[in-house]
Amino acid sequence: MPSIDDLRLMAYLHGGFPLVDEPYAAVAQALGTTEQDVLQRLQRLLGDGYLSRFGPLFQIERAGGQFVLAALSAPESQFDAVAAQVNALPEVAHNYRREHALNMWFVVAAESPAQAREVLQRIEDTTGLKVHAFPKEREYRVELRLPLLPPGEALPPPLSPPLSPPLEVPHGAGCV
């Protein structure tokens, strides 16, 4: 079970990470602890499964890349084998089983739209199954903040100003 200091750290980092030369030291200073304590807590929270991921989110399109939500219909008797084939590709993330005719949904993150198309074609060639591609057409920002601290527990203000809103991708509509 996370301690109150673990919860304070997670609440503080949720939605803000200081953009300074030594961000962990800055977080430690704001929370009244040490940089080593912050790093050790994060590693323990990740190792214990209280955090599934800690890292930046990039708008890959700004760097010329592309995210593509994709789905396929894997026969139940072959589902695990198909999942292993799909997951073997380093460009694939977030592969989920769904109760639908398209029962496998995953995201391809590629350095370019051309590479995304190549990866999707490779999946079709490898699995022998039709891949349905749903490339991101518009960026939406949805932020969910769950209350982590007990009532009355306050956090220090963030050290960095909030980042600017995401750049709108000006074509189409939809979201992955």
Side-chain angles (χ1 to χ4, degrees), residues 45-135:
L45 291 166
L46 286 165
D48 291 348
Y50 291 108
L51 295 176
S52 61
R53 180 182 181 280
F54 179 76
L57 293 174
F58 297 101
Q59 288 185 306
I60 197 170
E61 294 81 8
R62 287 184 175 185
Q66 185 177 39
F67 286 127
V68 178
L69 177 65
L72 57 80
S73 180
E76 280 303 314
S77 63
Q78 300 172 20
F79 190 91
D80 290 343
V82 171
Q85 290 173 312
V86 171
N87 293 343
L89 298 172
E91 297 89 352
V92 172
H94 309 295
N95 191 350
Y96 296 101
R97 179 190 287 255
R98 295 286 184 240
E99 293 182 14
H100 185 269
L102 298 172
N103 59 354
M104 184 179 297
W105 289 78
F106 51 92
V107 174
V108 169
E111 294 179 8
S112 67
Q115 184 189 26
R117 286 190 298 274
E118 291 171 15
V119 170
L120 295 170
Q121 185 62 53
R122 196 172 339 140
I123 292 170
E124 281 192 358
D125 294 344
T126 303
T127 64
L129 300 169
K130 170 74 178 153
V131 174
H132 301 271
F134 306 97

Side-chain angles (χ1 to χ4, degrees), residues 15-19 56-57 59 62 141 143 145 158 160-166:
F17 189 74
L19 300 177
L57 293 174
Q59 288 185 306
R62 287 184 175 185
R141 182 175 179 167
E143 185 171 336
R145 289 186 183 214
S160 300
L163 296 175
S164 61

Side-chain angles (χ1 to χ4, degrees), residues 6-19:
D6 294 337
L7 295 175
R8 287 175 49 92
L9 175 61
M10 290 189 289
Y12 190 79
L13 293 176
H14 190 100
F17 189 74
L19 300 177

Side-chain angles (χ1 to χ4, degrees), residues 1-11 41 148-151 153-155:
M1 177 112 190
S3 69
I4 189 69
D5 288 334
D6 294 337
L7 295 175
R8 287 175 49 92
L9 175 61
M10 290 189 289
R41 282 184 192 282
L148 297 174
L149 296 173
E153 188 72 34
L155 288 173

